Amino acid sequence: MSAPQTVPQHRQPGPAPMSDVHLGAGRLVASEWVKFRSIRSTFWCFGIIVLLTIGIAALVGALAEPGQDLTGDQANSTIVSMNTVSVYLSALVVGVLGVLIITGEYSTGQIRSTFTADPGRIGVLLAKATVLALSTFVVSVVSTWIGVFLSTALQSAKGLRPDLADPAVFMPLLGSSLDVTLLALLAFGIGLLVRSSAGGIAITLGILLVLPIVLALFGSITNTQWISDLTAFLPDAAGSQLYQYASGSELPAGGSGGVTLNGWSGGGVLLAEVVVVNAIAFVVTRRRDV
């Protein structure tokens, strides 16, 4: 008898195991963009920012009375102030959004699928941060300049003649959008660390709202200069230097013996805080279980 011959079976090609699939930066960003724009809180937060930025600029532009024709530095300073008064409120909104974009996935369990697609985790976290930063910056810039043109048109009938092409004008306006973007990234890092929407929002708003008041109160009670100086390094205070108007002939504000920051140093402090918080959050996220 001859031995039975075995017929080789050909395996049907199938999808490669998830561990063998390596997603590039472009695909990660595209994937995170799809998730980002599908979240309801994204549209609510960005809608509030647009309404606040344009609405307050239009309201101030319609109600403010210069009292006389203003040109030069006075007009430029006035238009910058009108269009940055809403930044503080916008910062609170993006603080909430920055936390929710990451903690929302932890609350639904979707973060497991996200980290399965990118086992190294750092790439997908950078993609999330990139989508958040670019979206926030674009929304802030567009709404800010709509408010600028609207308030300028309303004020031109009252004698206000700013030079919008002057770097002393458009740099602080651009800085306001940069400040909002950096604060959103700071909130993202905080949310990644605590992995809780309620906890992340509470910490973020505490840093932006409560901590400055507490330090200012202690500084005034104890009359201790270093406590007062510490407030200049808080995220909101440091970032606010990015949208302060200063003509080329002006000296930096200060002179009271305390610490003073300008646009470059204040922006650098805020950027350093964002980098440190997110670096710690990334390292912790790589080492702990989901």
Side-chain angles (χ1 to χ4, degrees):
M1 293 179 64
S2 59
Q5 297 181 352
T6 58
V7 179
Q9 296 181 355
H10 299 283
R11 298 176 64 183
Q12 295 294 328
M18 185 64 72
S19 59
D20 296 335
V21 178
H22 300 284
L23 298 180
R27 287 189 175 185
L28 287 174
V29 171
S31 174
E32 291 305 319
W33 165 245
V34 172
K35 287 191 286 186
F36 184 74
R37 62 187 175 88
S38 65
I39 300 174
R40 190 175 301 175
S41 58
T42 300
F43 291 95
W44 278 108
C45 290
F46 281 160
I48 292 173
I49 290 173
V50 170
L51 288 176
L52 283 174
T53 305
I54 298 177
I56 292 178
L59 183 63
V60 176
L63 298 179
E65 295 290 343
Q68 58 180 344
D69 290 349
L70 295 180
T71 57
D73 282 343
Q74 287 183 316
N76 292 345
S77 176
T78 300
I79 206 67
V80 168
S81 298
M82 286 182 179
N83 289 278
T84 56
V85 68
S86 63
V87 174
Y88 184 72
L89 297 176
S90 297
L92 301 180
V93 178
V94 297
V96 174
L97 177 62
V99 171
L100 291 179
I101 188 180
I102 181 65
T103 58
E105 290 202 34
Y106 277 101
S107 63
T108 60
Q110 188 180 5
I111 196 68
R112 295 185 179 88
S113 300
T114 299
F115 287 160
T116 300
D118 180 34
R121 301 186 180 184
I122 300 300
V124 73
L125 292 176
L126 289 174
K128 283 182 179 293
T130 299
V131 170
L132 173 64
L134 291 178
S135 302
T136 302
F137 185 76
V138 169
V139 169
S140 179
V141 167
V142 171
S143 56
T144 295
W145 280 96
I146 292 176
V148 168
F149 291 127
L150 186 56
S151 60
T152 301
L154 292 170
Q155 284 290 302
S156 62
K158 302 178 181 181
L160 189 70
R161 299 288 186 272
D163 181 8
L164 300 182
D166 190 335
V169 173
F170 67 76
M171 288 299 289
L173 295 174
L174 191 65
S176 67
S177 298
L178 182 58
D179 173 54
V180 169
T181 302
L182 290 175
L183 290 175
L185 290 175
L186 180 67
F188 173 80
I190 294 172
L192 183 59
L193 273 174
V194 301
R195 300 189 296 181
S196 166
S197 297
I201 292 173
I203 294 172
T204 301
L205 297 186
I207 292 174
L208 297 179
L209 285 173
V210 181
L211 192 55
I213 298 174
V214 172
L215 288 179
L217 183 61
F218 271 100
S220 61
I221 292 175
T222 62
N223 198 24
T224 306
Q225 186 60 48
W226 70 268
I227 295 180
S228 300
D229 291 341
L230 189 59
T231 60
F233 294 92
L234 294 177
D236 184 63
S240 67
Q241 299 301 318
L242 287 168
Y243 53 89
Q244 298 302 314
Y245 178 84
S247 66
S249 60
E250 286 182 335
L251 295 174
S256 60
V259 173
T260 57
L261 301 176
N262 57 22
W264 288 105
S265 58
V269 168
L270 178 57
L271 177 60
E273 292 168 346
V274 171
V275 171
V276 169
V277 170
N278 279 274
I280 295 173
F282 281 24
V283 171
V284 171
T285 302
R286 269 200 87 172
R287 294 183 176 180
R288 69 187 175 189
D289 294 334
V290 177

